[in-house]
Amino acid sequence: MNSFNSSEFSRSTCEIITNPTQMVELETEWNNLWLKAKGSFYQSFSVAYHSWKEIAEPAGRSLFCIVIRDQGAMVLVFPMVRYRKGPLLMIRPLGPNAAETTDMLVDPDVDWQATVTQAWRTIEHASKADIIHMPFIKVGSTLDQLIQHSRNIERDADIAPFANLQDQTDWATYERIIGANSRQQLNRKRKRLSELGEFKFIEVDPVADPKYALELIDWMFTHKQVWADRVGKHGDWISSQGYRNFLYRWITDPRNIQGMRLYTIQIDKMPIAMKLAAYGVSHLDLIIAGFHSDPQYAKYSPGFVLDEYWMKIVFEKRLNVDFGAGNEPYKLFWSRNLKNDLANYHIPHTIAGATATHLWRLKRRVETHLAERRKHHDAPAAA
């Protein structure tokens, strides 16, 4: 563990924790800060701990967890990992690496700008990384503004839709905002599904029923793999045993400060759609979704039908919903097109990092150009 103190940040101390045992000792303080800051799922101790145990440590990565204290009290925590990618030393946030947003967990009562700045400068000066990878940063945030001051950076854009439900008075009013045509479509799809067999909505607490929760997770991955093979999309996390192990351990951990829920609709006791969510203090985070791979169900949009059931539950709790990164139509529908813009950064920090980044960008441009040429070449033949 390294400690830093400077006159610019004289009230605070910054520690870099590299020993996982010392990170575990922070659990109580971390949880208290998470509650006070109304943190998101990716900022919780449980996500960091299980990401380390099931993904980062088995992959041989090293811990780089930043902790800032103000007069002894934890006011910021930001866990990261360092790892080798060929000859390059990389650093990125510690997490499941499944497109979760990145942000530091900060006490809302401190000087946010100064505290985040201190943490970012620590990453720049002490990580010794060739490339700093900061995925899915909220555009306009303090962290985003600091990164923008870095030289020679490009960013890939994305969005994270969110539903602001706390300003709604009742579900009927919210449905009217959504629109009559959409409600009619939803009712028709639900009716068609119910005609296929015994239709049922089920809510599962993974801690109370871990065996059934894991069966549902296995079902989800099975059908995601079928879908990925069919459309030719193979994300690393779909086939990653480490990511599966992370989900298994995380959602069934009785010490988890978050309330986890699996929501599913079933026909004749067979799942046809499932979504995993994590409850926080002020909002619910949608983590992952899965649907039956049989096209006979897809035409009735079972995920869309499922959304109405769990959205009502969240609505009654007066919580907002963070749908996570991605522009899927159902996210934009339920969020009424409210969203945060996101940026995905690879920041070169050494000559080796800048050279590798330049070559990577050049390779991507060439691949994009060749793909466009193939598209134009194939178009006349198809016609």
Side-chain angles (χ1 to χ4, degrees):
M1 178 175 68
N2 298 320
S3 297
F4 297 89
N5 200 343
S6 68
S7 57
E8 183 177 354
F9 304 107
S10 57
R11 284 172 52 89
S12 64
T13 59
C14 182
E15 305 169 345
I16 301 173
I17 294 175
T18 57
N19 186 331
T21 300
Q22 291 179 320
M23 185 180 76
V24 171
E25 293 171 354
L26 299 174
E27 180 177 6
T28 299
E29 286 183 288
W30 196 323
N31 284 341
N32 289 338
L33 179 58
W34 186 84
L35 290 170
K36 182 178 182 181
K38 300 179 180 180
S40 293
F41 83 97
Y42 57 86
Q43 297 173 312
S44 70
F45 171 82
S46 59
V47 165
Y49 174 77
H50 290 292
S51 294
W52 172 257
K53 295 297 293 183
E54 309 303 334
I55 299 175
E57 187 177 38
R61 299 184 172 188
S62 60
L63 184 65
F64 190 91
C65 181
I66 298 172
V67 176
I68 294 180
R69 297 181 180 279
D70 186 352
Q71 298 183 340
M74 178 191 287
V75 295
L76 179 147
V77 62
F78 188 51
M80 305 186 76
V81 287
R82 292 185 292 185
Y83 58 99
R84 287 284 172 183
K85 190 171 184 179
L88 301 175
L89 179 62
M90 313 285 290
I91 189 168
R92 65 164 295 145
L94 170 61
N97 304 339
E100 63 274 7
T101 307
T102 296
D103 205 355
M104 299 176 181
L105 183 63
V106 185
D107 188 323
D109 292 337
V110 301
D111 184 333
W112 192 288
Q113 181 79 30
T115 305
V116 173
T117 298
Q118 184 178 8
W120 177 245
R121 289 182 181 174
T122 300
I123 296 169
E124 289 186 308
H125 298 155
S127 70
K128 298 186 171 79
D130 294 301
I131 295 177
I132 303 171
H133 183 200
M134 300 295 283
F136 303 107
I137 301 291
K138 291 182 180 178
V139 174
S141 66
T142 299
L143 187 53
D144 178 66
Q145 293 171 22
L146 289 167
I147 293 172
Q148 289 285 352
H149 289 300
S150 301
R151 295 181 179 179
N152 192 30
I153 62 169
E154 291 183 359
R155 68 183 189 186
D156 296 322
D158 211 318
I159 62 171
F162 67 93
N164 186 349
L165 303 181
Q166 293 180 344
D167 61 349
Q168 300 299 318
T169 55
D170 60 84
W171 182 257
T173 302
Y174 183 65
E175 282 190 313
R176 284 195 293 273
I177 293 172
I178 291 173
N181 290 337
S182 298
R183 292 202 314 276
Q184 291 170 3
Q185 288 182 21
L186 183 60
N187 292 337
R188 283 197 299 269
K189 291 176 184 295
R190 183 174 58 247
K191 184 175 184 296
R192 292 288 185 266
L193 286 173
S194 65
E195 291 170 350
L196 298 177
E198 183 187 4
F199 179 90
K200 194 171 184 180
F201 165 73
I202 294 176
E203 177 180 356
V204 180
D205 180 344
V207 174
D209 195 351
K211 183 175 182 297
Y212 188 43
L214 298 189
E215 289 176 2
L216 288 173
I217 292 293
D218 283 335
W219 173 89
M220 179 194 67
F221 276 110
T222 297
H223 286 274
K224 275 190 173 293
Q225 190 64 60
V226 172
W227 169 82
D229 293 340
R230 185 167 63 232
V231 302
K233 292 186 178 181
H234 298 278
D236 292 340
W237 61 270
I238 293 179
S239 57
S240 168
Q241 187 59 50
Y243 182 66
R244 292 194 189 197
N245 291 342
F246 162 78
L247 280 184
Y248 295 158
R249 304 293 189 273
W250 177 46
I251 68 174
T252 60
D253 185 351
R255 293 176 60 89
N256 195 339
I257 196 171
Q258 301 162 91
M260 311 299 299
R261 288 295 183 271
L262 284 162
Y263 295 118
T264 176
I265 52 175
Q266 302 184 357
I267 295 176
D268 294 331
K269 299 183 180 181
M270 177 186 67
I272 59 170
M274 188 209 80
K275 298 196 175 184
L276 171 64
Y279 279 93
V281 176
S282 63
H283 70 281
L284 174 139
D285 287 292
L286 187 65
I287 309 301
I288 193 170
F291 315 102
H292 201 292
S293 55
D294 191 327
Q296 73 163 317
Y297 301 116
K299 61 184 177 182
Y300 300 126
S301 308
F304 183 44
V305 174
L306 172 59
D307 286 336
E308 184 182 32
Y309 287 93
W310 66 263
M311 282 286 287
K312 281 184 177 179
I313 294 174
V314 179
F315 188 93
E316 291 170 358
K317 295 177 182 291
R318 287 295 184 267
L319 298 175
N320 294 331
V321 178
D322 188 335
F323 289 94
N327 62 353
E328 291 89 336
Y330 81 89
K331 295 181 179 181
L332 293 168
F333 172 83
W334 290 108
S335 71
R336 295 173 290 156
N337 290 315
L338 292 176
K339 59 183 175 60
N340 286 307
D341 291 316
L342 303 177
N344 191 13
Y345 292 104
H346 279 81
I347 307 159
H349 205 57
T350 63
I351 294 175
T355 302
T357 300
H358 173 73
L359 293 174
W360 172 73
R361 290 173 184 163
L362 181 62
K363 178 175 179 287
R364 190 170 66 167
R365 290 191 186 103
V366 170
E367 289 174 344
T368 301
H369 176 69
L370 292 176
E372 286 296 321
R373 287 190 62 181
R374 284 193 299 269
K375 181 179 177 181
H376 289 303
H377 180 268
D378 294 342

